[in-house]
Amino acid sequence: MNRISKNSLRAVALACATLAASAQAGEVEVLHWWTSGGEAKAVGSLKATLQAKGHTWKDFAVAGGGGDSAMTVLKSRVVSGNAPAAAQIKGPSLQEWAAEGVLANMDDVAKAEQWDSLLPKVVSDIMKYKGNYIAAPVNVHRVNWLWANPEAFKKAGTKVPTNWDEFFVAAEALKKAGIVPVAHGGQNWQDFTTFEAVALGVGGTEFYKKALVQLDPATISSPTMEKVLTTFKKVKDYTDKNAPGRDWNLATAMVIKGEAGMQIMGDWAKGEFVAAGKVPGKDFVCVAAPGTAKAYTFNIDSFALFNQRDAEKTKARKDLAVAIMSTEFQETFSLNKGSIPVRLNMKMDKFDDCAKASSADFVATAKTGALVPSIAHGMAVNSAAEGAIKDAVSQYWNSDKMSAKDAMGKIALAAKTR
Ligand code: BGC
C-alpha cells in the first residue's frame, strides 16, 4: 500500500468515526439576546452543558436588552421557513407562537422529568399551551429593584431611598455632589421598566394589576395613573443628557464606577456587578424599588423549541430542555445571571443576600397576592398591547410638551391593541 492510499484509508476511518459520533449528537441553534458581560457568562454555562452531552451549540445572539430586536429577527426567520431549534421566548408570547402551530410539544420531557411537581404553578401555567408544555423555564428575575453605589451615597450625604419622597431627596443630594443621580439608557423598554416600578410603588399592587395586567380602562384613566405618570416624568430630571441610546449595561457600569448613584433595573443588573468582581452589600446594594418592598414583579426567562423533522436535532433539543431544568444548571446559570432558580426546593447557600431576599419574597408575595407579572418584560399582556403601551410611555418620557393627561389617553388607546 502506498502512502497516499494509507492516508486516504485513515481519512475514511476518521470520517466513519465522526459519522458515528454525530449519529447521537446534533446541532442546536439557539436564539437569545444575552450579550452583556453577566448575560454572556450565564449563556456560556448553557452552551457548556449542551456541549458536555456531545451536541453542537450554534449561537444565534441578537443584541438588544429586553429582546425586542431578537423577537423581530425571530419572526422573519420563522416566516421564511428557517426557524432556529430553540429561542428565548417569554410570557404570553409563548401562547401566541404556539397558536401559530410552530412550537414543539415538550410533554414527553416534562412528564419524564416531573416538571409539574418541580415548578411553582404560576410558572408552569406560563409554560403551557392548552395544557401542554411548550417551553422550558430557565430562571426567575425580579424586576422591581433599585441598585445603588454606597460610596456615591456617602459622598452625597444621603441615604438609599425606600419610597418615592426619599428617592427625590436622595436624587437632589446626589446631583449637588456632582454625581448623576439616576443611571438610565435610551431604549423604550428601559423607560417602561422604570414606569412599571413607579406604577407599583406609587399606585400599589391592586392598582398595578388593574392598570397593567387587566388593562382596565377606568384605572388607566384614574387620578392615581396621573400621579404615577407625573412621578415617572420627574425621574427623568435626574438622568444625564447622554442617556438616549445608552444600553442598560452601560448604565449599570455608571453605578459600578460611582459616576451614577442608582439604577432602577431588574436583577440581570446584578450579573453585571458580579461579572465586574463587585460584592453585594459592600460595593453595591440592592433594595426594592421605592415603595415596592412588599411586592414582586416577576420576569421568567424560558426557551421554546421549534418543530424539527431531523431526528438527531430532536434528540439534541430534548437534551437542552432536560439540561435547563437540571439542578446544576439552574444554580450555575442564576449565579451568573443575577436571577434565582425557577425550580422549587433548590439550595440557596451559594447565592448572595439579594438572591436570597428575592427567593424569600417570591414565596411570600405568592401568598399575599403581591406577586405580579412584569409588563415591561413581556409577562403581563399580549405582545401587541405591550408594544403599543411601551411606545406611548416612551413618547411621554421623551416629550417636553405632552401632559400626563395626554399620556393617559394614549396609554388607554394603546391598551386596546390586539
Ligand atoms: C430578560 C433578561 C435580560 C434582560 C436584559 C429581560 O427581558 O428577561 O434575561 O437579561 O432583558 O437584556
Side-chain angles (χ1 to χ4, degrees), residues 207-294:
F207 167 82
Y208 181 95
K209 283 188 196 165
K210 276 197 180 145
L212 300 178
V213 183
Q214 292 150 21
L215 302 180
D216 171 52
T219 313
I220 292 178
S221 310
S222 65
T224 308
M225 182 56 110
E226 192 174 353
K227 192 170 171 210
V228 166
L229 282 160
T230 316
T231 310
F232 166 64
K233 193 63 182 280
K234 207 169 150 198
V235 176
K236 194 182 175 199
D237 296 343
Y238 297 98
T239 62
D240 66 324
K241 64 175 183 355
N242 295 327
R246 180 187 288 135
D247 287 328
W248 68 271
N249 53 319
L250 299 181
T252 309
M254 291 168 68
V255 182
I256 293 177
K257 289 185 222 141
E259 291 166 13
M262 48 189 168
Q263 182 184 22
I264 295 166
M265 187 52 67
D267 44 22
W268 46 93
K270 197 184 73 191
E272 299 303 298
F273 284 101
V274 172
K278 302 296 175 190
V279 179
K282 180 175 158 273
D283 305 316
F284 68 96
V285 291
C286 58
V287 291
T292 72
K294 292 201 159 57

Coordinates of all heavy atoms in Angstrom, one line a residue, residues 207-294:
F207 N -53.6 48.5 42.2 CA -53.6 49.4 41.0 C -52.8 48.8 39.9 O -53.3 48.8 38.7 CB -53.0 50.8 41.4 CG -52.7 51.7 40.3 CD1 -53.6 52.4 39.7 CD2 -51.4 51.7 39.7 CE1 -53.3 53.2 38.5 CE2 -51.1 52.5 38.6 CZ -52.1 53.2 38.0
Y208 N -51.6 48.3 40.2 CA -50.8 47.7 39.2 C -51.5 46.6 38.4 O -51.5 46.6 37.2 CB -49.5 47.1 39.8 CG -48.5 46.5 38.8 CD1 -47.5 47.3 38.3 CD2 -48.7 45.2 38.3 CE1 -46.6 46.8 37.4 CE2 -47.8 44.7 37.4 CZ -46.8 45.5 36.9 OH -45.9 44.9 35.9
K209 N -52.2 45.7 39.1 CA -52.9 44.6 38.5 C -54.0 45.1 37.6 O -54.1 44.6 36.4 CB -53.5 43.7 39.5 CG -52.5 42.8 40.2 CD -53.2 41.8 41.1 CE -52.4 41.1 42.1 NZ -53.1 40.5 43.1
K210 N -54.8 46.1 38.1 CA -55.9 46.6 37.3 C -55.4 47.3 36.1 O -55.9 47.1 35.0 CB -56.8 47.5 38.1 CG -57.8 46.8 39.0 CD -58.8 47.7 39.5 CE -59.9 47.0 40.3 NZ -60.4 47.9 41.4
A211 N -54.4 48.2 36.3 CA -54.0 49.1 35.2 C -53.1 48.3 34.2 O -53.3 48.5 33.0 CB -53.2 50.3 35.7
L212 N -52.2 47.5 34.7 CA -51.1 47.0 33.7 C -51.2 45.5 33.5 O -50.4 45.0 32.7 CB -49.8 47.4 34.3 CG -49.5 48.9 34.4 CD1 -48.2 49.2 35.0 CD2 -49.7 49.6 33.1
V213 N -52.1 44.8 34.1 CA -52.3 43.4 33.8 C -53.7 43.2 33.2 O -53.8 42.6 32.1 CB -52.2 42.5 35.1 CG1 -52.3 41.0 34.7 CG2 -50.8 42.8 35.8
Q214 N -54.7 43.8 33.9 CA -56.1 43.6 33.3 C -56.4 44.7 32.3 O -57.4 44.6 31.6 CB -57.1 43.7 34.4 CG -57.0 42.5 35.4 CD -57.5 42.8 36.8 OE1 -58.2 43.7 37.0 NE2 -57.0 42.0 37.7
L215 N -55.6 45.7 32.2 CA -55.7 46.9 31.3 C -57.1 47.5 31.4 O -57.8 47.8 30.5 CB -55.5 46.4 29.8 CG -54.1 45.8 29.6 CD1 -53.9 45.4 28.1 CD2 -53.0 46.8 29.9
D216 N -57.5 47.7 32.7 CA -58.9 48.2 33.0 C -58.9 49.7 32.6 O -58.2 50.5 33.2 CB -59.1 48.0 34.5 CG -60.4 48.8 34.9 OD1 -61.4 48.6 34.3 OD2 -60.3 49.5 35.9
P217 N -59.8 50.1 31.7 CA -59.8 51.5 31.2 C -60.0 52.5 32.3 O -59.3 53.6 32.2 CB -61.0 51.5 30.2 CG -61.3 50.1 29.9 CD -60.8 49.2 31.0
A218 N -60.9 52.2 33.2 CA -61.1 53.2 34.3 C -59.9 53.5 35.1 O -59.6 54.6 35.5 CB -62.3 52.7 35.2
T219 N -59.1 52.4 35.4 CA -57.9 52.5 36.2 C -56.8 53.3 35.4 O -56.1 54.1 36.0 CB -57.4 51.2 36.7 OG1 -58.5 50.4 37.2 CG2 -56.3 51.3 37.7
I220 N -56.8 53.0 34.1 CA -55.8 53.6 33.3 C -56.0 55.1 33.2 O -55.1 55.9 33.1 CB -55.7 53.0 31.9 CG1 -55.2 51.6 32.0 CG2 -54.9 53.8 30.9 CD1 -55.2 50.8 30.6
S221 N -57.3 55.5 33.4 CA -57.6 57.0 33.3 C -57.9 57.6 34.7 O -58.4 58.7 34.8 CB -58.9 57.1 32.5 OG -58.8 56.5 31.3
S222 N -57.4 56.9 35.7 CA -57.7 57.4 37.1 C -56.7 58.4 37.6 O -55.6 58.6 37.0 CB -57.6 56.2 38.1 OG -56.3 55.7 38.1
P223 N -57.0 59.2 38.6 CA -56.1 60.2 39.2 C -54.8 59.5 39.7 O -53.7 60.1 39.6 CB -56.9 60.7 40.4 CG -58.3 60.5 40.1 CD -58.4 59.2 39.3
T224 N -54.9 58.2 40.1 CA -53.7 57.5 40.5 C -52.7 57.4 39.3 O -51.5 57.6 39.5 CB -54.0 56.1 41.1 OG1 -55.0 56.3 42.1 CG2 -52.8 55.4 41.7
M225 N -53.3 57.1 38.2 CA -52.4 56.9 37.0 C -51.7 58.3 36.7 O -50.6 58.3 36.3 CB -53.2 56.4 35.8 CG -52.4 56.2 34.5 SD -51.0 55.1 34.8 CE -51.5 53.7 33.8
E226 N -52.5 59.4 36.9 CA -51.9 60.7 36.6 C -50.7 60.9 37.6 O -49.7 61.4 37.1 CB -53.0 61.8 36.8 CG -52.5 63.1 36.3 CD -53.6 64.2 36.3 OE1 -54.8 63.8 36.6 OE2 -53.3 65.3 36.0
K227 N -50.9 60.5 38.8 CA -49.8 60.7 39.8 C -48.6 59.8 39.4 O -47.4 60.3 39.6 CB -50.4 60.3 41.2 CG -49.5 60.7 42.3 CD -50.1 60.6 43.7 CE -49.1 60.8 44.8 NZ -49.4 60.0 46.0
V228 N -48.9 58.6 39.0 CA -47.8 57.7 38.5 C -47.0 58.4 37.4 O -45.8 58.4 37.4 CB -48.4 56.4 38.1 CG1 -47.4 55.5 37.3 CG2 -48.9 55.6 39.3
L229 N -47.7 58.9 36.4 CA -47.1 59.5 35.3 C -46.3 60.7 35.6 O -45.2 60.9 35.1 CB -48.1 59.8 34.2 CG -48.6 58.6 33.4 CD1 -49.9 58.8 32.7 CD2 -47.5 58.1 32.4
T230 N -46.8 61.5 36.5 CA -46.1 62.7 36.9 C -44.8 62.4 37.7 O -43.7 62.9 37.5 CB -47.0 63.6 37.9 OG1 -48.3 63.6 37.3 CG2 -46.5 65.0 38.0
T231 N -44.9 61.4 38.6 CA -43.7 60.9 39.3 C -42.7 60.3 38.4 O -41.5 60.6 38.5 CB -44.2 59.9 40.4 OG1 -45.3 60.4 41.1 CG2 -43.0 59.5 41.3
F232 N -43.2 59.5 37.5 CA -42.3 58.9 36.5 C -41.5 59.9 35.7 O -40.3 59.9 35.6 CB -43.2 58.0 35.5 CG -42.5 57.6 34.3 CD1 -41.5 56.7 34.3 CD2 -43.0 58.0 33.0 CE1 -40.9 56.2 33.1 CE2 -42.5 57.5 31.9 CZ -41.4 56.6 31.9
K233 N -42.2 61.0 35.3 CA -41.5 62.0 34.4 C -40.5 62.8 35.3 O -39.5 63.2 34.7 CB -42.6 62.9 33.9 CG -42.2 63.9 32.8 CD -41.7 63.1 31.5 CE -41.2 64.1 30.5 NZ -42.2 64.7 29.7
K234 N -40.8 62.9 36.5 CA -39.9 63.7 37.4 C -38.5 62.9 37.5 O -37.5 63.5 37.7 CB -40.5 63.8 38.8 CG -40.1 65.0 39.6 CD -41.0 65.1 40.8 CE -40.1 65.8 42.0 NZ -40.7 65.6 43.3
V235 N -38.6 61.6 37.4 CA -37.3 60.8 37.5 C -36.4 61.2 36.4 O -35.1 61.3 36.5 CB -37.6 59.3 37.4 CG1 -36.3 58.5 37.3 CG2 -38.5 58.8 38.5
K236 N -37.0 61.6 35.2 CA -36.1 62.0 34.1 C -35.2 63.2 34.4 O -34.1 63.3 33.9 CB -37.0 62.3 32.9 CG -36.2 62.4 31.6 CD -37.1 62.7 30.4 CE -36.1 62.9 29.2 NZ -36.7 63.6 28.1
D237 N -35.7 64.1 35.2 CA -34.9 65.3 35.6 C -33.5 64.8 36.2 O -32.6 65.6 36.3 CB -35.6 66.1 36.6 CG -36.9 66.7 36.0 OD1 -37.0 66.7 34.8 OD2 -37.8 67.1 36.8
Y238 N -33.5 63.6 36.7 CA -32.3 63.2 37.4 C -31.4 62.2 36.6 O -30.5 61.6 37.1 CB -32.6 62.6 38.8 CG -33.3 63.7 39.6 CD1 -34.6 63.8 39.8 CD2 -32.5 64.6 40.3 CE1 -35.2 64.8 40.5 CE2 -33.0 65.6 41.0 CZ -34.4 65.7 41.2 OH -35.0 66.7 41.9
T239 N -31.7 62.1 35.3 CA -30.9 61.3 34.4 C -29.9 62.3 33.7 O -30.2 63.5 33.7 CB -31.7 60.5 33.4 OG1 -32.5 61.5 32.6 CG2 -32.7 59.6 34.1
D240 N -28.9 61.8 33.0 CA -28.0 62.7 32.3 C -28.4 62.8 30.9 O -29.2 62.1 30.3 CB -26.5 62.2 32.5 CG -26.3 60.9 31.8 OD1 -27.2 60.0 31.7 OD2 -25.2 60.7 31.2
K241 N -27.8 63.8 30.2 CA -28.1 64.1 28.8 C -27.6 63.0 27.8 O -28.1 63.0 26.7 CB -27.7 65.5 28.4 CG -26.2 65.7 28.4 CD -25.9 67.1 27.9 CE -24.4 67.5 27.7 NZ -23.4 66.6 28.2
N242 N -26.7 62.2 28.3 CA -26.3 61.2 27.4 C -27.1 59.9 27.4 O -26.7 58.9 26.8 CB -24.8 60.8 27.7 CG -23.9 62.0 27.4 OD1 -24.2 62.8 26.4 ND2 -22.9 62.2 28.2
A243 N -28.1 59.9 28.2 CA -28.9 58.7 28.4 C -29.5 58.1 27.0 O -29.5 56.9 26.8 CB -30.1 58.9 29.4
P244 N -30.0 59.0 26.2 CA -30.6 58.5 24.9 C -29.6 57.6 24.2 O -28.5 58.0 24.0 CB -31.0 59.7 24.1 CG -31.2 60.8 25.2 CD -30.2 60.5 26.3
G245 N -30.0 56.4 23.8 CA -29.2 55.5 23.0 C -28.3 54.6 23.9 O -27.7 53.7 23.4
R246 N -28.2 54.9 25.2 CA -27.3 54.1 26.0 C -27.9 52.7 26.3 O -29.1 52.6 26.6 CB -27.0 54.9 27.3 CG -26.1 54.1 28.3 CD -26.0 54.8 29.6 NE -25.2 56.1 29.5 CZ -25.6 57.2 30.1 NH1 -26.7 57.3 30.8 NH2 -24.9 58.3 30.0
D247 N -27.1 51.7 26.3 CA -27.6 50.3 26.7 C -27.7 50.2 28.2 O -26.9 50.9 28.9 CB -26.6 49.3 26.2 CG -26.7 49.1 24.7 OD1 -27.8 49.3 24.1 OD2 -25.7 48.8 24.0
W248 N -28.5 49.3 28.6 CA -28.8 49.2 30.1 C -27.5 48.8 30.9 O -27.3 49.3 32.0 CB -29.9 48.2 30.3 CG -29.4 46.7 30.0 CD1 -29.6 46.1 28.8 CD2 -28.8 45.8 30.9 NE1 -29.0 44.9 28.9 CE2 -28.6 44.6 30.1 CE3 -28.4 45.8 32.2 CZ2 -28.0 43.5 30.7 CZ3 -27.8 44.7 32.8 CH2 -27.6 43.6 32.0
N249 N -26.7 48.0 30.2 CA -25.5 47.5 31.0 C -24.5 48.6 31.1 O -23.7 48.7 32.0 CB -24.9 46.3 30.3 CG -24.6 46.4 28.9 OD1 -25.4 47.0 28.1 ND2 -23.5 45.9 28.4
L250 N -24.5 49.6 30.2 CA -23.6 50.7 30.3 C -24.1 51.7 31.4 O -23.3 52.3 32.1 CB -23.4 51.5 28.9 CG -22.8 50.6 27.8 CD1 -22.7 51.4 26.5 CD2 -21.5 50.0 28.3
A251 N -25.4 51.7 31.5 CA -26.0 52.5 32.7 C -25.5 51.8 34.0 O -25.1 52.5 34.9 CB -27.5 52.5 32.5
T252 N -25.6 50.5 34.0 CA -25.2 49.8 35.2 C -23.7 50.1 35.5 O -23.3 50.3 36.7 CB -25.4 48.2 35.1 OG1 -26.7 48.0 34.6 CG2 -25.1 47.5 36.4
A253 N -22.9 50.1 34.4 CA -21.5 50.4 34.6 C -21.2 51.8 35.3 O -20.3 51.9 36.0 CB -20.8 50.3 33.3
M254 N -22.1 52.7 35.0 CA -22.0 54.0 35.6 C -22.2 53.9 37.2 O -21.5 54.6 37.9 CB -23.1 55.0 35.1 CG -22.8 55.4 33.6 SD -24.3 56.2 33.0 CE -24.3 57.8 33.9
V255 N -23.1 53.0 37.6 CA -23.3 52.8 39.0 C -22.1 52.1 39.6 O -21.6 52.4 40.7 CB -24.6 52.1 39.3 CG1 -24.8 51.9 40.8 CG2 -25.8 52.8 38.7
I256 N -21.6 51.1 38.8 CA -20.4 50.3 39.3 C -19.2 51.3 39.6 O -18.6 51.2 40.6 CB -20.0 49.3 38.2 CG1 -21.1 48.2 38.1 CG2 -18.7 48.6 38.5 CD1 -20.9 47.1 37.1
K257 N -19.0 52.2 38.6 CA -17.9 53.1 38.8 C -18.1 54.3 39.7 O -17.2 55.1 40.0 CB -17.6 53.7 37.4 CG -16.9 52.7 36.4 CD -16.5 53.4 35.1 CE -16.9 52.5 33.9 NZ -17.4 53.3 32.8
G258 N -19.4 54.5 40.1 CA -19.7 55.6 41.0 C -19.9 56.9 40.3 O -20.1 57.9 40.9
E259 N -20.0 56.8 39.0 CA -20.4 58.0 38.2 C -21.9 58.4 38.4 O -22.3 59.5 38.3 CB -20.2 57.8 36.7 CG -18.7 57.6 36.3 CD -18.5 57.1 34.9 OE1 -19.5 57.0 34.1 OE2 -17.4 56.7 34.6
A260 N -22.6 57.3 38.6 CA -24.1 57.5 38.9 C -24.3 56.8 40.3 O -23.6 55.9 40.7 CB -24.9 56.8 37.8
G261 N -25.4 57.4 40.9 CA -25.8 56.9 42.3 C -26.6 55.6 42.2 O -26.4 54.7 43.0
M262 N -27.6 55.6 41.3 CA -28.6 54.4 41.4 C -29.1 54.1 40.0 O -29.1 54.9 39.1 CB -29.7 54.7 42.4 CG -30.3 56.1 42.3 SD -31.4 56.4 43.7 CE -31.7 58.2 43.4
Q263 N -29.7 52.9 39.9 CA -30.4 52.5 38.7 C -31.6 51.7 39.1 O -31.5 50.8 40.0 CB -29.4 51.6 37.8 CG -30.0 51.2 36.5 CD -29.2 50.3 35.7 OE1 -28.3 49.6 36.2 NE2 -29.4 50.2 34.4
I264 N -32.7 51.9 38.4 CA -33.9 51.0 38.5 C -33.8 50.0 37.4 O -33.9 50.4 36.3 CB -35.2 51.9 38.4 CG1 -35.2 52.9 39.6 CG2 -36.4 51.0 38.5 CD1 -36.2 54.0 39.4
M265 N -33.6 48.8 37.8 CA -33.5 47.7 36.8 C -33.7 46.3 37.4 O -33.4 46.2 38.6 CB -32.0 47.8 36.2 CG -31.7 47.0 35.0 SD -32.8 47.0 33.6 CE -32.6 48.7 33.0
G266 N -34.1 45.4 36.6 CA -34.2 44.0 37.1 C -32.9 43.4 37.5 O -31.8 44.0 37.2
D267 N -32.9 42.3 38.1 CA -31.6 41.8 38.7 C -30.6 41.1 37.7 O -29.6 40.7 38.2 CB -31.9 40.9 39.9 CG -33.0 39.9 39.8 OD1 -33.3 39.5 38.6 OD2 -33.5 39.4 40.8
W268 N -30.9 41.3 36.4 CA -29.8 40.9 35.5 C -28.7 42.0 35.6 O -27.6 41.7 35.3 CB -30.3 40.9 34.0 CG -31.3 42.0 33.6 CD1 -30.9 43.2 33.0 CD2 -32.7 42.1 33.8 NE1 -32.0 44.0 32.8 CE2 -33.1 43.3 33.3 CE3 -33.6 41.2 34.3 CZ2 -34.4 43.7 33.3 CZ3 -35.0 41.6 34.3 CH2 -35.4 42.8 33.8
A269 N -29.1 43.2 36.2 CA -28.1 44.2 36.5 C -27.0 43.6 37.5 O -25.8 43.9 37.4 CB -28.7 45.4 37.1
K270 N -27.5 42.8 38.4 CA -26.6 42.2 39.4 C -25.5 41.3 38.7 O -24.3 41.3 39.1 CB -27.3 41.4 40.4 CG -26.5 41.1 41.7 CD -27.2 40.2 42.7 CE -27.2 38.8 42.1 NZ -28.1 37.9 42.9
G271 N -25.9 40.7 37.6 CA -25.0 39.9 36.8 C -23.8 40.8 36.4 O -22.7 40.3 36.3
E272 N -24.1 42.1 36.1 CA -23.0 43.0 35.6 C -22.1 43.3 36.8 O -20.9 43.4 36.7 CB -23.6 44.3 35.1 CG -24.5 44.0 33.9 CD -23.7 43.3 32.7 OE1 -22.7 43.9 32.2 OE2 -24.2 42.2 32.4
F273 N -22.7 43.6 38.0 CA -21.9 43.9 39.2 C -21.0 42.8 39.5 O -19.8 42.9 39.7 CB -22.8 44.2 40.4 CG -23.4 45.6 40.4 CD1 -24.8 45.7 40.0 CD2 -22.7 46.7 40.8 CE1 -25.4 47.0 40.0 CE2 -23.3 48.0 40.8 CZ -24.7 48.1 40.4
V274 N -21.6 41.6 39.5 CA -20.8 40.4 39.8 C -19.7 40.1 38.8 O -18.6 39.8 39.2 CB -21.8 39.1 40.0 CG1 -21.0 37.9 40.2 CG2 -22.7 39.4 41.2
A275 N -20.0 40.2 37.5 CA -19.0 40.0 36.5 C -17.9 41.0 36.6 O -16.8 40.7 36.2 CB -19.7 40.1 35.1
A276 N -18.2 42.2 37.2 CA -17.1 43.2 37.4 C -16.3 42.9 38.7 O -15.5 43.8 39.1 CB -17.7 44.6 37.3
G277 N -16.7 41.8 39.4 CA -15.9 41.5 40.6 C -16.5 42.2 41.8 O -15.8 42.3 42.8
K278 N -17.6 42.8 41.7 CA -18.2 43.6 42.8 C -19.0 42.7 43.8 O -19.6 41.8 43.4 CB -19.1 44.7 42.3 CG -18.4 45.7 41.4 CD -17.2 46.4 42.1 CE -16.4 47.3 41.1 NZ -15.2 47.8 41.7
V279 N -18.9 43.1 45.1 CA -19.5 42.3 46.1 C -20.8 43.0 46.7 O -20.7 44.2 47.1 CB -18.5 42.1 47.3 CG1 -19.1 41.3 48.4 CG2 -17.3 41.5 46.8
P280 N -21.9 42.3 46.7 CA -23.2 42.9 47.2 C -23.1 43.2 48.6 O -22.5 42.5 49.4 CB -24.3 41.8 46.9 CG -23.5 40.6 46.7 CD -22.2 40.9 46.2
G281 N -23.6 44.3 49.1 CA -23.6 44.7 50.5 C -22.3 45.5 50.8 O -22.3 46.2 51.8
K282 N -21.3 45.5 49.9 CA -20.1 46.2 50.1 C -19.9 47.2 49.0 O -19.9 48.4 49.2 CB -18.9 45.2 50.2 CG -17.6 45.8 50.4 CD -16.5 44.7 50.5 CE -15.1 45.2 50.2 NZ -14.8 45.1 48.8
D283 N -19.7 46.7 47.8 CA -19.5 47.6 46.6 C -20.8 48.1 46.0 O -20.8 49.1 45.3 CB -18.7 46.9 45.5 CG -17.4 46.3 46.0 OD1 -16.7 47.0 46.8 OD2 -17.2 45.1 45.7
F284 N -21.9 47.4 46.2 CA -23.2 47.9 45.7 C -24.3 47.3 46.7 O -24.0 46.4 47.4 CB -23.4 47.4 44.3 CG -23.6 45.9 44.1 CD1 -24.9 45.4 44.0 CD2 -22.5 45.1 44.0 CE1 -25.1 44.0 43.8 CE2 -22.7 43.7 43.8 CZ -24.0 43.2 43.7
V285 N -25.4 48.0 46.6 CA -26.5 47.5 47.4 C -27.8 47.3 46.5 O -27.9 48.0 45.5 CB -26.9 48.4 48.6 CG1 -25.8 48.4 49.7 CG2 -27.2 49.8 48.2
C286 N -28.6 46.3 46.9 CA -29.8 46.1 46.2 C -30.9 46.3 47.2 O -30.9 45.8 48.3 CB -29.9 44.6 45.7 SG -29.7 43.4 47.0
V287 N -31.9 47.1 46.8 CA -33.1 47.3 47.7 C -34.3 47.3 46.7 O -34.1 47.5 45.5 CB -33.1 48.6 48.5 CG1 -32.1 48.7 49.6 CG2 -33.0 49.9 47.6
A288 N -35.5 47.0 47.3 CA -36.7 47.0 46.4 C -36.8 48.4 45.8 O -36.5 49.4 46.5 CB -37.9 46.6 47.2
A289 N -37.3 48.5 44.6 CA -37.6 49.9 44.1 C -38.5 50.6 45.0 O -39.3 50.0 45.7 CB -38.3 49.7 42.7
P290 N -38.4 52.0 45.1 CA -39.1 52.7 46.1 C -40.6 52.3 46.2 O -41.3 52.2 45.2 CB -39.0 54.2 45.6 CG -37.7 54.2 44.9 CD -37.6 52.8 44.2
G291 N -41.0 52.1 47.5 CA -42.4 51.8 47.8 C -42.9 50.4 47.3 O -44.1 50.1 47.4
T292 N -41.9 49.5 47.0 CA -42.4 48.2 46.4 C -41.9 47.0 47.2 O -41.9 45.9 46.8 CB -42.0 48.0 45.0 OG1 -40.6 47.8 44.9 CG2 -42.4 49.2 44.1
A293 N -41.4 47.3 48.5 CA -40.8 46.2 49.3 C -41.7 45.0 49.5 O -41.2 43.9 49.6 CB -40.3 46.8 50.6
K294 N -43.0 45.2 49.5 CA -43.9 44.1 49.8 C -44.4 43.5 48.5 O -45.3 42.6 48.6 CB -45.0 44.6 50.7 CG -44.5 45.0 52.1 CD -45.7 44.9 53.1 CE -45.2 44.8 54.5 NZ -44.2 45.8 54.9

